[in-house]
Amino acid sequence: MGTRSDGALDTDVIVVGAGPVGLLLAGELRTGGARVVVLEKLTRPTTESRASVLHARTMEILHDRGLLDRLGPPPDAGPGHFGGIPLDLTLAGDSPYAGQWKAPQTLIEAVLQEWATGLGAEVRRGHTVTGLVTDPDRVLVAATGPDGVRRRLSAAHLVGCDGEQSTVRWLAGFELAGALPTKELLRADLAGVDIPDRRFERNAKGVANARRGPRGITRIMVHEFGRVPEPDGPPVEFAEVARVWARVTGESLDGAEPVWVNAFHNARRQATRYRRGRVFLAGDAAHVQLPVGGQALNLGLQDAADLGWKLAAYATGRADGELLDTYHAERHPVGARVLGNIEAQAQLMFGGPDMDALRAVFRELLATGPARRHLAAMISGLDRPRSDRPHAEHLNTENPHTENPHPDRPRTDRPHADRPHSDHPRPEHRRTTYRRDTTMGKLNARTALVTGSSRGIGRAIALRLAREGALVAVHCSHNLEAAEETVATIEKDGGRAFAVQAELGVRGDVHELFLAVERGLKERTGATTLDILVNNAGIMGGVAPEDVTPEQFDRLFAVNARAPFFIIQRALGLIPDGGRIVNISSGLTRVANPQEVAYAMTKGAIDQLTLHFAKHLGPRNITVNSVGPGITDNGTPIFDNPEAVAQMAQLSVFNRVAQTSDVADVVAFLASGDARWITGSYLDASGGTLLG
Ligand code: NAP
């Protein structure tokens, strides 16, 4: 923060509101190198029980920032619903987090606040915004602090993340359009009550929900048909909730102790613009909706993820002003669509008997696969492009200040929580160039370990996975220099990787490997999640069957078969549902070559490893496949001999030996979402070797 000549404290972005949306935005801004101050009216974080469900797209966003582990990680929240009709959200589509996940808002806020402040965001609590003026260069904000003193701050941009009753929205003159509420719902968290759980129970007089949660607290929600909100009415009292509950369910809440009581409604209103000059809105400040199924919180967090990298890129000179307009262009239609589906759900859920026929039709529709998948994707935020990814066309790669343009990915150059940020230094970013490769990004925000990737086929696999956006652990046995060269090549190309060294086939090998892998992942992502494992490291035999010694045999098996088994066993604690395992086998499991009998036996074992683990891990949606290369130019001297190469080439129907990239492309496909339906398979990547 600097100080202007008029005494106002100056920063890049002021965020108003330290709820989940404002805090995620603040962390994003810091990650992208922008200075940020968050102003929050409350003197301490809320302890109120509010939204508690995270959907797949939000989970991906949190995973990308290494925040899931800090959250617990969130447990499965069970099946979802659409308008009260059960809907399995795991059908949402290609995401490791398809489903819904439980995380109380209080915990989300605590984790996000620690993350954002650790990155250098300044959160000022007890500050109420009272005035706002924009001039051509800055936004000037007046805020009264907890000491009652009014202070001025200025910034290039201001974002209102201050909820449904947004002060920023009002002060900056944003317009809200849409439908006024027609239904009121009552909600309470109760201790000392013993009533049966129920999900959207429809009675003659209304709809009731009850769910017993942790620490014996039961959350109830009730709507009495025909009950409309009272504009400017007094806050709802528990006695009123109890009366409505009794009328709808016939049950008494006598003796219950209310922990929290709240009334809400089905307003459907949206700011007509999400941006007015230097001021933006995100979360409930931009859209007001019925809080059903957690969509409001998820929509808000996704707004923040979209706006964060854009504002940061602009603030640090990496993007032009047009990029800022894409926030409204992308998020407003998404908001409108979510508000629409919430309204449809409100009709189904809280409509009276006149909605019974429509509900029956919906129930039938939801028995069909395509309808279920369509709605699950819609609710999970997977039915639209991931707009919180950087747009290459708007990032200024010519700018000499170009910094890492991938704020959506965990990066090695993130400021660390343990680094002091008292004077808000800008994070030092490694300079990279942004590649406009159209295939890029299939593995964005994924992490991968490729064993034996210092050279040969493994190196090509590491390069290819990194090109798709994965953070890759490049493993070697002794040749650390080669591993570091692979890492440098990846980084030069704008990707992320780190080297790990561990000799396989010896005592303690897997333990040593994972110590290094986990440390590397943790440093870069804040977590140890490993999405993709490629068991590639291997040694050949080249000894006639008569001459193989037991020691040679054991060594081949130790490196080629035993190590991959225990690597998978160890990795299972790190691989999330939906992860990928690829084992490099060999065409020699299909074609006889007596000089390599012991080696081929180890590769036969690899195919068995694939088959059985594929079945074992199916329930977790983890795919396990083998890839069988034929003769592949791995850079050993024999490939410098034209006659030898010509001879080897004849074995393939394409009359050439493979380049390492021929195999790497197959592995990258298996690692991608496109290969979700392939498991337990042996993929021949031998260029039609000895087809006949
Ligand atoms: P390569 O060029 O010989 O490279 C082997 C890689 O594995 C190197 O990174 C090496 O690390 C690592 N490695 C070797 N022994 C290790 C050990 N004991 N512990 C840890 N790491 C070890 O191999 P490649 O030809 O690319 O082969 C890769 C995989 O494809 C192997 O599984 C192989 O069996 C299979 N394959 C290859 C061909 C082919 O024609 N090339 C054909 C079919 C199947 P260092 O650099 O530190 O030594």
Side-chain angles (χ1 to χ4, degrees):
M1 262 246 326
T3 309
R4 285 162 42 110
S5 57
D6 62 3
L9 290 171
D10 189 58
T11 190
D12 290 330
V13 183
I14 296 171
V15 174
V16 180
V21 176
L23 291 169
L24 179 66
L25 178 64
E28 290 294 289
L29 288 164
R30 284 303 296 150
T31 301
R35 296 169 306 159
V36 56
V37 174
V38 184
L39 301 177
E40 166 60 52
K41 199 160 55 177
L42 298 177
T43 48
R44 62 184 57 169
T46 175
T47 51
E48 279 182 6
S49 140
R50 294 192 192 176
S52 61
V53 168
L54 298 175
H55 293 142
R57 184 68 202 108
T58 312
M59 291 286 283
E60 289 178 0
I61 288 171
L62 297 173
H63 168 273
D64 290 357
R65 284 135 189 96
L67 293 168
L68 281 188
D69 275 359
R70 296 196 197 187
L71 276 173
D76 190 339
H81 70 90
F82 187 88
I85 303 168
L87 174 64
D88 181 359
L89 294 182
T90 62
L91 302 169
D94 180 23
S95 168
Y97 300 107
Q100 59 172 358
W101 310 88
K102 217 164 181 56
Q105 184 165 331
T106 44
L107 175 66
I108 298 172
E109 278 187 20
V111 166
L112 289 176
Q113 168 148 343
E114 189 189 86
W115 175 67
T117 53
L119 290 169
E122 189 184 331
V123 179
R124 294 188 176 187
R125 292 196 165 272
H127 282 74
T128 305
V129 171
T130 52
L132 187 164
V133 182
T134 54
D135 70 17
D137 298 328
R138 314 301 284 172
V139 189
L140 302 172
V141 173
T144 306
D147 50 6
V149 176
R150 195 171 138 102
R151 292 183 182 82
R152 279 172 304 149
L153 294 93
S154 76
H157 292 103
L158 173 81
V159 188
C161 300
D162 47 346
E164 196 175 321
Q165 307 292 340
S166 171
T167 305
V168 170
R169 189 177 66 216
W170 181 68
L171 288 173
F174 282 90
E175 191 191 333
L176 265 191
L180 290 170
T182 55
K183 296 178 170 59
E184 185 179 60
L185 295 92
L186 305 176
R187 199 162 44 166
D189 281 355
L190 308 173
V193 71
D194 190 14
I195 52 173
D197 278 5
R198 66 201 85 200
R199 264 201 124 191
F200 305 109
E201 178 185 85
R202 294 182 70 79
N203 297 312
K205 292 197 171 144
V207 181
N209 215 36
R211 188 168 185 155
R212 199 174 172 83
R215 297 182 301 280
I217 301 287
T218 299
R219 173 170 288 190
I220 62 164
M221 193 205 55
V222 60
H223 171 65
E224 189 173 25
F225 294 141
R227 186 181 176 97
V228 292
E230 212 183 307
D232 305 321
V236 64
E237 302 271 343
F238 172 62
E240 174 65 359
V241 178
R243 277 194 294 275
V244 174
W245 184 264
R247 283 202 293 270
V248 170
T249 67
E251 280 170 7
S252 160
L253 293 178
D254 280 357
E257 200 186 307
V259 180
W260 174 67
V261 178
N262 155 277
F264 61 107
H265 51 67
N266 67 333
R268 170 157 65 112
R269 314 195 73 199
Q270 190 179 20
T272 53
R273 308 239 11 116
Y274 280 15
R275 174 186 184 187
R276 275 178 66 94
R278 297 187 168 277
V279 185
F280 296 80
L281 299 178
D284 288 355
H287 35 76
V288 177
Q289 60 279 306
L290 181 75
V292 58
Q295 283 191 95
L297 171 66
N298 285 272
L299 183 62
L301 289 171
Q302 291 162 29
D303 289 344
D306 182 272
L307 181 58
W309 74 266
K310 293 176 179 174
L311 261 184
Y314 184 79
T316 52
R318 286 175 291 132
D320 52 38
E322 266 179 49
L323 180 63
L324 298 182
D325 286 329
T326 66
Y327 171 62
H328 170 85
E330 283 166 0
R331 294 305 299 172
H332 190 274
V334 169
R337 187 166 155 78
V338 172
L339 262 54
N341 95 49
I342 289 178
E343 176 59 22
Q345 294 196 64
Q347 304 273 3
L348 288 171
M349 218 171 347
F350 305 116
D354 52 334
M355 282 288 147
D356 285 350
L358 192 60
R359 212 174 356 262
V361 171
F362 246 87
R363 217 175 261 285
E364 276 181 34
L365 271 178
L366 282 183
T368 67
R372 279 207 304 262
R373 283 194 292 278
H374 180 84
L375 292 181
M378 182 192 267
I379 292 193
S380 304
L382 297 179
D383 61 338
R384 47 194 176 253
R386 284 145 162 97
S387 69
D388 49 303
R389 306 288 195 210
H391 304 226
E393 66 274 21
H394 290 295
L395 289 170
N396 183 359
T397 52
E398 302 306 316
N399 187 324
H401 301 297
T402 295
E403 295 168 352
N404 190 326
H406 301 290
D408 66 331
R409 301 198 204 154
R411 294 167 314 180
T412 52
D413 53 354
R414 276 196 173 173
H416 287 289
D418 52 0
R419 245 185 250 162
H421 282 285
S422 50
D423 56 351
H424 290 273
R426 291 186 183 212
E428 287 169 19
H429 289 273
R430 181 164 41 80
R431 278 176 62 167
T432 58
T433 48
Y434 194 80
R435 288 166 303 101
R436 290 170 189 245
D437 184 340
T438 50
T439 62
M440 182 196 152
K442 278 196 169 170
L443 302 175
N444 261 352
R446 300 286 188 274
T447 55
L449 163 63
V450 183
T451 65
S453 47
S454 46
R455 53 198 168 91
I457 295 172
R459 179 178 189 277
I461 294 170
L463 297 183
R464 181 64 213 269
L465 298 185
R467 218 173 86 204
E468 294 288 354
L471 165 67
V472 183
V474 173
H475 161 256
C476 68
S477 175
H478 294 294
N479 209 339
L480 189 57
E481 215 173 290
E484 280 171 351
E485 189 279 327
T486 304
V487 170
T489 304
I490 288 172
E491 289 183 337
K492 198 154 64 58
D493 204 23
R496 296 167 308 139
F498 59 97
V500 292
Q501 185 175 14
E503 182 180 355
L504 299 176
V506 297
R507 249 179 112 80
D509 52 358
V510 174
H511 184 62
E512 194 182 326
L513 170 66
F514 277 85
L515 279 183
V517 170
E518 288 181 8
R519 193 183 319 119
L521 291 173
K522 188 105 190 165
E523 273 170 19
R524 287 159 183 83
T525 69
T528 54
T529 307
L530 180 68
D531 300 293
I532 301 158
L533 165 65
V534 183
N535 271 312
N536 164 79
I539 48 174
M540 291 198 66
V543 184
E546 297 79 7
D547 301 330
V548 176
T549 65
E551 290 73 25
Q552 287 168 336
F553 187 93
D554 285 351
R555 171 94 183 130
L556 278 167
F557 266 85
V559 177
N560 291 3
R562 193 183 68 189
F565 176 92
F566 287 103
I567 288 174
I568 293 179
Q569 187 191 63
R570 177 72 167 73
L572 283 182
L574 311 183
I575 301 182
D577 291 4
R580 296 279 186 269
I581 298 174
V582 181
N583 299 316
I584 304 302
S585 173
S586 165
L588 286 179
T589 57
R590 306 290 193 271
V591 173
N593 174 356
Q595 298 301 313
E596 292 292 356
V597 56
Y599 166 80
M601 286 173 72
T602 66
K603 294 300 185 181
I606 283 288
D607 294 348
Q608 291 301 311
L609 181 70
T610 293
L611 183 66
H612 295 272
F613 263 115
K615 173 137 186 168
H616 186 52
L617 299 178
R620 289 180 54 191
N621 274 321
I622 297 173
T623 68
V624 189
N625 291 289
S626 285
V627 170
I631 295 178
T632 307
D633 182 350
N634 61 1
T636 45
I638 186 140
F639 291 97
D640 295 333
N641 177 340
E643 289 90 52
V645 171
Q647 239 180 10
M648 293 188 282
Q650 286 172 13
L651 299 175
S652 155
V653 293
F654 301 128
N655 196 27
R656 68 172 176 88
V657 297
Q659 298 304 305
T660 51
S661 58
D662 292 325
V663 181
D665 288 352
V666 176
V667 174
F669 163 67
L670 286 174
S672 76
D674 292 347
R676 64 193 168 279
W677 203 235
I678 304 176
T679 194
S681 209
Y682 171 91
L683 256 80
D684 182 290
S686 74
T689 291
L690 293 176
L691 277 188

